[in-house]
Amino acid sequence: MYRLLALDLDGTLLNQENQISAQNISAIKHVIHHHGTVVLCSARPVKAIAAVIRNTELEYLIRYFISFNGAWIYDAVEKRDIRFTPLNGGEVKNAITMLAENKFPHHFFTRDNILSSSSTVSDYTRYESQLFAMELISIESKVITQRDDIVKVSIVGPANFINSVADKIDAKFHRQYSLSKTSQHYYEIMRQGITKGEALHCLSQYLNIGSDFVVSIGDQENDISMFQFSAVGVAMGNASDFVKSRADRVSQDNNQHGVAFAINQLWPL
């Protein structure tokens, strides 16, 4: 029997209305009641992950969060960090130089806020601020380089722009940073080595659960690292063909309770 279930949020556990279906909730409860541990894994900050399950039956059943694509592992019961891995000052400075040279629209994340040093704030930045209920703060670039709590940098824009940016930055900076496209409008820069899969490995060791007992479910390229670590990696039906090709199984889409569909196959009633 599998012992740890890692769930992506957007496009996976959440449907297009950003809600968790009753079918998905029931299936997750089934895993937990059979002594399984469920961890929510997202590009979102901790408080935005917590908000997803607030006032649902899952609020007091899910203890662990992997946040910011692996940079923050959090114990929601003891309300403490298991690990927090921000960018260092040099990494932030180099990223700012690259962003300025290319005039890429972007913003920065701390634990609690979104920071923008741009004179014109992108609608994509405003959307994340509203979605995550994080205050958007304007700040000078030179002040950002002096901070020690910048967790990640998000480059934002239309899908065709993000696709072109991803190829260029991957080619030039893949040895310096951990880089991932988290959706069609967001491309993220974090400390080298940080991925959802690496964080899932870290949490599994913390919980003394081997990879042979881990299942992960996701829909985006940043979920592939979880598939690589897990005994079973499940791509959602709404995932791209590339993501599906890297998974062990393909489920139904997020508007057809794809999480519940996968759980019912792997944790039979």
Side-chain angles (χ1 to χ4, degrees):
M1 181 69 73
Y2 299 110
R3 296 174 54 198
L4 181 61
L5 173 63
L7 295 175
D8 172 55
L9 292 184
D10 297 281
T12 300
L13 181 59
L14 299 175
N15 60 23
Q16 62 185 6
E17 282 80 37
N18 282 322
Q19 296 177 338
I20 310 174
S21 70
Q23 290 90 334
N24 283 349
I25 289 176
S26 177
I28 291 169
K29 288 172 61 182
H30 174 73
V31 171
I32 294 169
H33 291 160
H34 285 78
H35 309 291
T37 298
V38 176
V39 54
L40 301 182
C41 308
S42 176
R44 295 180 180 225
V46 159
K47 71 176 184 179
I49 296 176
V52 166
I53 58 173
R54 188 170 298 125
N55 299 322
T56 74
E57 294 178 81
L58 303 179
E59 182 172 5
Y60 299 105
L61 295 177
I62 297 180
R63 175 172 183 170
Y64 300 106
F65 302 157
I66 290 175
S67 168
F68 288 139
N69 281 325
W72 193 0
I73 308 173
Y74 188 74
D75 183 332
V77 171
E78 295 191 2
K79 300 187 184 306
R80 67 176 183 85
D81 298 345
I82 294 173
R83 189 186 72 182
F84 181 71
T85 314
L87 292 157
N88 64 42
E91 291 167 332
V92 173
K93 186 175 181 179
N94 290 339
I96 288 175
T97 299
M98 179 271 291
L99 294 166
E101 288 175 350
N102 292 279
K103 298 182 179 179
F104 291 150
H106 62 278
H107 54 263
F108 305 86
F109 279 92
T110 69
R111 292 173 188 262
D112 301 308
N113 304 115
I114 294 177
L115 309 179
S116 175
S117 58
S118 305
S119 56
T120 303
V121 179
S122 166
D123 288 341
Y124 297 103
T125 293
R126 296 189 188 280
Y127 173 77
E128 282 211 317
S129 173
Q130 294 169 359
L131 179 66
F132 300 159
M134 299 183 80
E135 183 180 2
L136 176 58
I137 298 174
S138 295
I139 189 169
E140 293 183 14
S141 294
K142 64 181 181 180
V143 177
I144 293 177
T145 61
Q146 298 168 2
R147 299 182 64 125
D148 61 1
D149 61 346
I150 303 298
V151 191
K152 67 176 182 176
V153 187
S154 287
I155 299 174
V156 303
N160 58 348
F161 166 74
I162 292 297
N163 286 334
S164 65
V165 164
D167 291 340
K168 293 176 183 177
I169 298 180
D170 280 348
K172 189 171 182 179
F173 292 101
H174 68 279
R175 295 183 186 278
Q176 296 175 246
Y177 299 98
S178 182
L179 308 164
S180 64
K181 184 168 67 173
T182 58
S183 80
Q184 61 181 340
H185 299 300
Y186 299 92
Y187 181 83
E188 300 189 340
I189 301 171
M190 296 173 298
R191 175 169 280 192
Q192 176 66 282
I194 295 296
T195 66
K196 283 187 178 182
E198 180 274 335
L200 184 58
H201 185 188
C202 178
L203 180 63
S204 297
Q205 289 183 319
Y206 178 81
L207 298 173
N208 197 28
I209 296 174
S211 61
D212 288 347
F213 300 96
V214 179
V215 173
S216 59
I217 308 178
D219 73 306
Q220 291 287 339
E221 290 180 20
N222 63 327
D223 297 314
I224 291 173
S225 62
M226 294 201 301
F227 300 166
Q228 293 170 334
F229 171 73
S230 306
V232 181
V234 182
M236 296 293 289
N238 48 287
S240 69
D241 289 341
F242 174 69
V243 173
K244 289 175 181 176
S245 74
R246 305 300 293 274
D248 301 297
R249 296 180 178 223
V250 176
S251 186
Q252 295 178 342
D253 72 33
N254 63 318
N255 293 315
Q256 296 177 309
H257 327 295
V259 166
F261 181 83
I263 288 173
N264 291 337
Q265 290 184 321
L266 295 166
W267 277 268
L269 296 174

